[in-house]
Amino acid sequence: MNTFLKMALLFGFSLHAVAHEAALEKVSVAKDVPSIERGAETLMGACHSCHSMKYIKYRDLIKFGMDKKKVNEWSGGQSLDLPLLAQMSENDAVLAFGKAPPDLSVMTKARDGGPRYVYSYLIGYYQTKDGLPGNHIYPETKMPDPLGIIGVTDEKQLSEIHGKARDIVSFLAWAADPREEERLRLGYYVLAYLFVLTVLLYFVKNQIWARLDRIS
Amino acid sequence: MFANVINWIDQRFPLTSFVKHELTGYPTPRNLSYWWNFGFLAGLVLVLQVATGIFLAMHYKADAATAFDSIQHIMRDVNYGWLLRYMHAVGASAFFFVIFVHMARTLYYGSYRAPRELLWWTGQGLLLLLMATAFMGYLLPWGQMSFWGATVITNLFRATPFIGDDVVIWLRGDFTVGDATLTRFFALHYLFPFLIIGAVVIHLVALHTVKSSNPSGIDLAHKDNIPFHPYFTAKDFYGLGIFLIVYSVFVFFMPDSLIEPANNIPANPMQTPNHIVPEWYFLPFYAILRSVPNMVGGVVAMGLSVMMFAFMPFLDRSRIPGGAHYRPIFKLQFYLFMIDMLVLGWVGYVPQTSSTTIIGQIATLCYFGSFFLIPFISRVEERWLIKRGLPQEVMTLIDKEKKEIAERKLKNSQRKGGKA
């Protein structure tokens, strides 16, 4: 069969499968250092053994304002200039789960729905009829329930887990876009400047064009 | 001292006369609306793209193994690298937006008609160059959408008769999109903007020969022209301010809104993304490609859909000036065409289902239909409008034009006769 046809078929099928199965939960991403630090801590405990964040160095966390002692602990005494690589090698992970765990550095930007997707995914675990773990958001997932939400019915415990998921997502959102704060701050100045400039340019334009009325 | 220097230069290079002829004294119709700002804006976006692009190229690595990482390096470690990259990415969309408005204005006001055909065609060439540049630039971040978009589009060249498969390999430099493709796309993505600059110069030479059209469509008497500077420099800069505000809102506050999430996943040849979509500016043409069930037909239809604009000077047979201004049916057709473009864009964006396929096919027929109907509609409309009675000035203009054409023909035949 002609390669293009194959491509087109692949295309058609993949397009068919795109419709989202479950609606995404709402989450407000925290921007404050304590929440993001809590998120980093939870991530270090629950995700870091398999998932890397190769674009983030330990020193970046300290620069952002996290507790130096904690970061040192997470790095395990290694140089702070090393990236947050997973403890498990990719090969071992593939052997264990059948799939390499994706890098998390830009995860909140890499999915439709962004932070909402990641949050819904983390709290989307449930027990299937066969007693196996399932996920509403990403049914094909190979990752075991990282926050232990399956089977939890207690309201207080549940909201605690939701809080943890929110912290993780806040940390991931910061990691995906560490320059956001700088960007927004600069953005307000730029817009204010452009606004004044444009108003002035408008007056200049009117003044210059007023000459025409005087002539004719 | 300054006057002496200028004088020294003027004896060796026509600096003063050039500036006077092409800028300060360049005669421009005084009734140009803000729709005439977009040519200037396109030129400015081109400068922005080249400027940011050169600095991005200093930090970018055109290598399949490190390209994705180098983008993250630019976003995180390079001073104001995020600003350069977002300005460049948003700039690509801004470029197409500005060009599309520029083209829509030309269509609405009939600015493509004699004597501006060559101006319009150089613009068509610029559009093709711009599309090629944008397409190649999109591969460089080496994300999933980059990779699969390039795979799908280079695959279309299989439609070339006889040598299709070889053409695809020749374009990619490999059997699949890979490192060889990335490096050549980078090289060409750096080259093409300079071709565009050259083509812009040609576009401007053509413009300055035939001068700007204007909303009335009537060539204004000399007294109605005003010098470009200071009147239109002032107007263009005010428009630029508005443009930069909108541009900055995107760059600083919603820079990721135009970047597909899947492009933040490194390219993976083993895994097709769920839903391959091109950038928004290609969506209508992509929808036309998908609407034709046959591959070769789809490619031809897509190519034609871009090139159809070049035929407008021949298709529009009406002699009534002012584009849609004095032409109610043409105006209606223009707006229907715009709606059709939006429908096609939507069809190109959503996952294909049987109903969107049918909508896409109808929209494709409307797209081409509106071009093919123009020769007939424009003639019928002209007759109807003349019968109904046009403003006296427009009638005299049409008569004058008719007389001029007859005179030119007479002169031509006399000259030929004289030589024979």
Side-chain angles (χ1 to χ4, degrees):
Chain A
M1 198 166 58
N2 173 322
T3 323
F4 178 82
L5 253 176
K6 268 188 229 165
M7 289 285 315
L9 276 177
L10 246 172
F11 217 59
F13 286 134
S14 51
L15 291 179
H16 204 72
V18 81
H20 248 304
E21 289 83 4
L24 297 180
E25 305 277 344
K26 281 204 173 69
V27 60
S28 71
V29 176
K31 308 269 182 202
D32 59 309
V33 180
S35 303
I36 292 177
E37 186 173 329
R38 276 201 312 276
E41 197 164 7
T42 318
L43 182 131
M44 280 297 168
C47 323
H48 184 53
S49 49
C50 303
H51 289 283
S52 294
M53 296 185 77
K54 63 176 173 176
Y55 300 122
I56 304 288
K57 299 181 191 80
Y58 289 102
R59 197 177 293 287
D60 297 334
L61 305 180
I62 296 173
K63 262 193 222 155
F64 177 63
M66 291 190 195
D67 184 20
K68 203 169 173 189
K69 238 169 72 192
K70 266 190 197 164
V71 176
N72 260 322
E73 216 172 276
W74 296 337
S75 74
Q78 303 174 77
S79 160
L80 290 176
D81 289 317
L82 288 176
L84 276 68
L85 292 182
Q87 285 146 13
M88 195 184 229
S89 81
E90 209 164 88
N91 273 340
D92 292 348
V94 171
L95 285 176
F97 303 105
K99 197 177 172 186
D103 188 273
L104 297 181
S105 309
V106 281
M107 189 46 85
T108 54
K109 283 191 184 190
R111 296 288 180 276
D112 275 322
R116 288 182 62 190
Y117 178 96
V118 180
Y119 177 74
S120 315
Y121 168 64
L122 285 174
I123 63 168
Y125 280 90
Y126 67 101
Q127 192 142 24
T128 57
K129 278 180 217 147
D130 321 323
L132 292 168
N135 192 294
H136 293 297
I137 302 298
Y138 183 39
E140 310 90 64
T141 188
K142 303 271 193 228
M143 179 166 88
D145 177 17
L147 298 178
I149 200 169
I150 292 178
V152 176
T153 47
D154 178 38
E155 274 296 319
K156 215 177 127 201
Q157 231 180 327
L158 214 55
S159 76
E160 198 178 296
I161 292 176
H162 286 183
K164 269 187 185 173
R166 174 171 175 262
D167 290 343
I168 291 182
V169 169
S170 302
F171 173 60
L172 289 178
W174 168 78
D177 196 1
R179 301 293 193 140
E180 189 189 13
E181 203 194 329
E182 183 189 358
R183 194 181 73 223
L184 296 180
R185 191 159 21 90
L186 186 60
Y188 288 119
Y189 283 116
V190 169
L191 276 190
Y193 171 79
L194 282 177
F195 191 75
V196 173
L197 179 73
T198 306
V199 170
L200 290 177
L201 284 171
Y202 177 69
F203 288 133
V204 168
K205 184 246 158 196
N206 276 355
Q207 200 178 24
I208 287 176
W209 280 69
R211 289 181 209 163
L212 281 179
D213 300 331
R214 253 176 280 142
I215 295 166
S216 50
Chain B
M1 174 63 198
F2 182 69
N4 279 344
V5 172
I6 295 294
N7 200 14
W8 186 90
I9 294 172
D10 275 338
Q11 283 168 3
R12 291 154 178 87
F13 181 87
L15 180 68
T16 308
S17 63
F18 181 81
V19 170
K20 192 175 168 211
H21 194 249
E22 306 303 335
L23 186 65
T24 53
Y26 176 65
T28 315
R30 64 189 289 174
N31 60 339
L32 296 191
S33 66
Y34 280 105
W35 295 112
W36 265 260
N37 276 34
F38 284 84
F40 170 79
L41 289 180
L44 196 107
V45 179
L46 175 61
V47 172
L48 270 182
Q49 289 300 84
V50 170
T52 52
I54 285 173
F55 286 101
L56 284 172
M58 293 178 190
H59 301 282
Y60 172 75
K61 304 260 190 304
D63 180 304
T66 48
F68 191 89
D69 293 343
S70 74
I71 298 287
Q72 288 302 320
H73 166 68
I74 289 170
M75 296 294 288
R76 289 158 195 271
D77 306 330
V78 176
N79 289 334
Y80 292 102
W82 57 268
L83 181 60
L84 288 173
R85 196 236 171 168
Y86 280 148
M87 280 177 75
H88 201 72
V90 173
S93 285
F95 211 153
F96 275 96
F97 173 77
V98 165
I99 288 295
F100 285 160
V101 175
H102 190 59
M103 288 176 71
R105 189 269 292 157
T106 310
L107 289 173
Y108 184 88
Y109 288 107
S111 310
Y112 48 80
R113 291 195 290 181
R116 296 190 179 79
E117 299 96 325
L118 272 178
L119 181 58
W120 179 234
W121 291 334
T122 52
Q124 173 87 48
L126 274 165
L127 176 68
L128 295 180
L129 280 173
L130 178 64
M131 285 179 153
T133 311
F135 164 67
M136 290 187 293
Y138 195 56
L139 181 70
L140 304 185
W142 204 242
Q144 274 287 68
M145 248 352 141
S146 303
F147 179 88
W148 290 98
T151 301
V152 170
I153 300 300
T154 47
N155 228 330
L156 297 180
F157 287 87
R158 268 187 223 294
T160 318
F162 308 116
I163 51 168
D165 287 352
D166 297 317
V167 169
V168 174
I169 294 170
W170 179 72
L171 283 173
R172 291 176 177 167
D174 202 338
F175 296 103
T176 57
V177 172
D179 193 60
T181 326
L182 180 61
T183 43
R184 66 184 49 197
F185 274 31
F186 178 62
L188 294 174
H189 185 70
Y190 206 109
L191 166 71
F192 271 44
F194 297 98
L195 300 183
I196 290 182
I197 291 172
V200 165
V201 171
I202 295 173
H203 195 61
L204 285 177
V205 169
L207 172 70
H208 283 220
T209 307
V210 296
K211 307 286 188 284
S212 293
S213 63
N214 70 76
S216 77
I218 301 165
D219 273 328
L220 298 166
H222 191 65
K223 70 176 169 59
D224 280 326
N225 283 336
I226 51 178
F228 190 83
H229 180 74
Y231 297 105
F232 285 99
T233 34
K235 199 169 178 173
D236 277 345
F237 274 107
Y238 166 55
L240 175 64
I242 303 272
F243 167 81
L244 284 179
I245 287 175
V246 178
Y247 175 73
S248 301
V249 167
F250 274 95
V251 169
F252 291 99
F253 296 97
M254 40 202 297
D256 286 311
S257 59
L258 297 169
I259 297 175
E260 272 296 315
N263 225 27
N264 285 310
I265 304 170
N268 181 357
M270 314 301 281
Q271 188 193 18
T272 324
N274 284 336
H275 180 190
I276 302 177
V277 275
E279 293 285 82
W280 68 269
Y281 37 81
F282 290 137
L283 287 174
F285 311 110
Y286 183 59
I288 289 174
L289 168 76
R290 284 204 302 192
S291 292
V292 182
N294 168 288
M295 178 225 176
V296 177
V299 174
V300 171
M302 184 172 70
L304 259 183
S305 69
V306 181
M307 293 307 296
M308 278 319 280
F309 298 105
F311 297 108
M312 279 307 288
F314 305 120
L315 296 176
D316 186 357
R317 318 261 305 155
S318 173
R319 287 167 302 171
I320 295 175
H325 192 63
Y326 296 110
R327 298 169 60 186
I329 301 177
F330 184 77
K331 191 187 247 177
L332 179 71
Q333 210 188 350
F334 174 84
Y335 284 118
L336 288 177
F337 184 75
M338 289 294 126
I339 293 170
D340 192 51
M341 279 297 250
L342 292 180
V343 171
L344 280 171
W346 173 78
V347 169
Y349 184 71
V350 295
Q352 208 170 9
T353 63
S354 53
S355 55
T356 64
T357 307
I358 289 173
I359 295 172
Q361 284 167 346
I362 293 169
T364 303
L365 281 181
C366 292
Y367 186 96
F368 288 108
S370 55
F371 282 106
F372 289 125
L373 284 178
I374 285 179
F376 310 104
I377 292 180
S378 57
R379 263 294 150 90
V380 171
E381 183 193 45
E382 186 192 273
R383 241 175 282 145
W384 171 63
L385 286 175
I386 289 176
K387 215 167 117 193
R388 201 183 63 164
L390 279 163
Q392 192 49 47
E393 42 184 335
V394 175
M395 283 309 295
T396 33
L397 193 88
I398 293 174
D399 285 341
K400 204 183 102 195
E401 220 165 61
K402 217 189 269 175
K403 226 181 278 168
E404 271 173 9
I405 291 170
E407 268 171 27
R408 219 177 302 145
K409 268 188 187 156
L410 192 72
K411 240 184 232 165
N412 268 349
S413 63
Q414 276 172 348
R415 201 172 46 199
K416 268 182 204 153
K419 266 180 192 164

